[in-house]
Amino acid sequence: MNDGRNGTVKQIICIKWGTKFGPEFVNRLHGMVARNITPPFRLYCFTDDGAGLHPDIAVRPLPEFDYQAPVNTKGKWPKSRLWGDLGDVQGVVLFLDLDVIVTGSLDDFFAYGEPDDTVLGLNPNTPLEKMGQTSVYRMRVGKLKPLQEIFRADPQAAADKFRYEQRFVTRNAPGGVKFWPKGWLAHFRMHCVPNFPLNYLRPARVPDGTRIVIFPGDLNPPDAILGRWSDKDQHRAPLDHLRAAFDGRRRESLSKHLRHYLLPVGWVGELWRE
C-alpha cells in the first residue's frame, strides 16, 4: 500500500565517518534490520569509506559539508550532513545509529504518525525538557535542510547555544517534532542495566515491548558483551570490582565506580550479528 512514504520500500539510513566504527557495525546493523522488518527494505550507508560493507548495503558518499563542524562542543554534529539533499535517496527515511541493537519489529517506525512528521526518541536524561534523542529518528529527506542553513551561518555559536545536535533538532525542526511511543526505545545504561547493587548480581535485560536498544555515551555493544563500561575499562569479577573501589584502582568517584559495573550481556552478542 502506498501511504505517501515510499510506496512499499522501507528506507533506513546510517552514517559512518572516521575510524571509530568499522564495517562490521554497518553489516551487523543490516543483519538485525533484515531479521526484524517486513521486506522490501533498503539500508543506505553514507560514508567516507565503504570498504568491507555487505553487498546488499547501498553505499553513498557523505553529503557535502561546506562548514566547519564545532570542535569544542559535545554532540554528534557531523550528523547534520544528512539534513539536506541525499542524492537519489528521497522520501521518508528512518535513521539508525550504528551502535543500536534491534530487539523487535521495525515496521511500526514507518507507520507511526504522518509521513511528513519528524519523529525522535525522547531523551530520558532530560525528561522535563522533552528533548529529542537522535539515535533513532524518522524524517522526510530535505525537511531539515533549513537547520543546515542556521547551522552554516555560525556552527560554533549554534553548538554553544544548544550543546547537542539533538537539542538543536528538537528546538528548530520545521513543524516541530514528535516522539516515539513510550517503551519502543530503551537506553541501555538507564533502562537495561540494574541499579546498584543489583548490577553486581543480575545482567542487563531488555524491557518488555522494546524494539530498539540505544547506546548513547562510551558504552557500546562490544563493551556490553564483555561486561565493561567502555573500551578503556576491563571486566572484573564483582568482588574484585568492589575491592578496586577502595584500593586505588578506580578512576572516578566512588559512587560512579559502584554504579558503573556491568556483568557480561549474552543477548547483545546473540542479536548483534550479521
Side-chain angles (χ1 to χ4, degrees):
M1 179 180 69
N2 190 328
D3 60 1
R5 290 170 169 82
N6 307 297
T8 59
V9 179
K10 301 177 181 73
Q11 299 184 134
I12 300 97
I13 64 172
C14 64
I15 185 170
K16 182 176 83 72
W17 72 90
T19 58
K20 181 178 180 179
F21 295 118
E24 71 276 7
F25 277 80
V26 188
N27 293 339
R28 290 171 181 174
L29 179 64
H30 181 267
M32 290 187 293
V33 169
R35 290 189 292 274
N36 290 281
I37 201 168
T38 301
F41 79 95
R42 194 159 202 201
L43 173 64
Y44 295 88
C45 180
F46 292 88
T47 181
D48 55 2
D49 182 4
L53 295 186
H54 190 283
D56 288 344
I57 296 170
V59 179
R60 296 292 184 271
L62 288 174
E64 290 289 330
F65 196 71
D66 58 350
Y67 42 87
Q68 177 63 46
V71 295
N72 301 317
T73 313
K74 292 182 178 180
K76 303 297 189 293
W77 291 98
K79 285 184 180 180
S80 64
R81 291 174 179 263
L82 303 180
W83 297 345
D85 178 43
L86 296 182
D88 65 337
V89 182
Q90 301 178 18
V92 175
V93 295
L94 179 69
F95 172 87
L96 298 178
D97 267 348
L98 293 182
D99 55 359
V100 303
I101 300 293
V102 182
T103 59
S105 174
L106 298 176
D107 291 349
D108 285 343
F109 286 94
F110 293 90
Y112 181 74
E114 299 298 324
D116 281 334
D117 289 342
T118 300
V119 191
L120 289 73
L122 183 62
N123 194 317
N125 285 302
T126 57
L128 297 180
E129 182 185 356
K130 288 192 175 181
M131 180 171 75
Q133 213 286 337
T134 56
S135 290
V136 180
Y137 72 93
R138 199 188 75 211
M139 66 177 178
R140 182 174 289 280
V141 173
K143 186 173 181 181
L144 298 183
K145 189 171 184 178
L147 274 65
Q148 284 186 326
E149 303 305 322
I150 298 172
F151 190 56
R152 181 180 285 107
D154 194 336
Q156 192 61 57
D160 291 341
K161 179 179 179 180
F162 295 98
R163 293 193 66 200
Y164 299 98
E165 89 292 337
Q166 52 201 21
R167 180 178 284 119
F168 183 69
V169 173
T170 304
R171 299 285 173 264
N172 296 283
V177 301
K178 293 184 177 179
F179 299 108
W180 301 118
K182 184 178 180 180
W184 283 19
L185 306 183
H187 186 300
F188 181 76
R189 286 180 287 113
M190 297 184 68
H191 298 145
C192 301
V193 179
N195 293 326
F196 174 81
L198 296 179
N199 54 326
Y200 289 82
L201 303 172
R202 302 176 186 170
R205 66 176 187 85
V206 182
D208 292 342
T210 298
R211 285 99 180 288
I212 301 176
V213 177
I214 63 175
F215 284 76
D218 294 331
L219 200 169
N220 289 314
D223 306 310
I225 293 170
L226 295 174
R228 63 188 187 188
W229 209 252
S230 76
D231 59 5
K232 301 178 181 62
D233 198 4
Q234 62 180 2
H235 176 70
R236 295 188 178 101
L239 288 178
D240 188 45
H241 192 267
L242 288 170
R243 282 194 293 268
F246 304 101
D247 65 9
R249 286 182 289 162
R250 62 179 168 89
R251 300 191 303 271
E252 51 192 355
S253 70
L254 176 61
S255 63
K256 284 188 176 180
H257 179 90
L258 294 176
R259 287 186 286 114
H260 292 178
Y261 183 75
L262 179 70
L263 291 170
V265 188
W267 56 262
V268 173
E270 293 169 5
L271 299 177
W272 194 55
R273 56 183 173 83
E274 291 189 27

